[in-house]
Amino acid sequence: MHIQILTVGKLKERYLVDGIAEYVKRLGPYAKVQIVEVPDEKAPENMSPAEERQVREREGERLLAKLAPDAYVVALAIDGEMWTSEQLAGSLDKLATYGRSQVAFVIGGSLGLSSELLRRADMRLSFGRMTLPHQLMRLVLVEQIYRAMRINRGEPYHK
């Protein structure tokens, strides 16, 4: 399985970089994981709704340009479906079984994802109704993908 994590902005915090690198290393035997960062759009603190939409659209264009045409796209969005770790594992297993081995998880910037990217997504996934920093979401996501792979192989870890 080829897993692409597309995200807005550069990760600067060392503890997050180290944590993500550890899980990507652990995922090596299960999947090829690629993390692709696109630049975030510089924006003033107090923006109008139209300016916020423009920021999301510009970041969305950058993300869409990095997606493979045949990728199964999972958009991380607060209004998405909330799954258990076992449901995520089952979904990844089903995708691999039915020939959809190119999966892209997309994490938007601080303002979320563009409407165009959400339309391109095959599904929307939520890790809860709370807002998490998009940088932290990378670590949470890669850990959950690792957990899903362990579940699918019947290996201990997920409890």
Side-chain angles (χ1 to χ4, degrees):
M1 179 164 268
H2 298 279
I3 296 174
Q4 186 180 47
I5 298 172
L6 291 170
T7 183
V8 173
K10 185 132 183 83
L11 205 62
K12 297 175 187 103
E13 294 83 0
R14 188 83 221 147
Y15 70 97
L16 291 173
V17 170
D18 291 345
I20 291 166
E22 176 62 26
Y23 281 109
V24 169
K25 182 178 85 176
R26 291 182 187 189
L27 275 163
Y30 305 99
K32 179 182 180 207
V33 178
Q34 176 191 30
I35 298 176
V36 177
E37 296 175 334
V38 301
D40 56 344
E41 190 68 21
K42 302 301 176 220
E45 191 66 32
N46 296 317
M47 290 183 283
S48 70
E51 289 170 319
E52 288 183 0
R53 190 173 49 256
Q54 276 187 323
V55 167
R56 281 192 302 273
E57 286 173 7
R58 288 184 190 127
E59 290 173 348
E61 289 168 5
R62 292 179 190 131
L63 291 165
L64 285 164
K66 301 291 184 181
L67 280 173
D70 61 338
Y72 183 89
V73 178
V74 179
L76 273 62
I78 279 183
D79 66 347
E81 294 180 45
M82 286 192 279
W83 284 355
T84 64
S85 297
E86 290 80 7
Q87 286 174 302
L88 177 61
S91 178
L92 290 175
D93 190 48
K94 195 178 298 180
L95 287 168
T97 300
Y98 293 102
R100 299 295 304 266
S101 61
Q102 178 74 28
V103 179
F105 290 89
V106 184
I107 303 170
S110 59
L111 297 175
L113 293 167
S114 70
S115 56
E116 187 178 352
L117 199 139
L118 290 170
R119 279 192 300 277
R120 167 62 179 89
D122 293 287
M123 75 154 305
R124 295 181 193 186
L125 180 63
S126 174
F127 279 74
R129 298 296 179 230
M130 291 185 194
T131 302
L132 294 173
H134 56 282
Q135 299 92 339
L136 178 60
M137 194 62 237
R138 292 187 211 186
L139 178 60
V140 173
L141 174 62
V142 76
E143 187 279 335
Q144 283 298 304
I145 293 169
Y146 174 68
R147 183 181 298 268
M149 296 299 178
R150 300 281 297 194
I151 290 170
N152 286 340
R153 293 254 182 108
E155 297 171 352
Y157 175 75
H158 70 282
K159 300 215 179 217

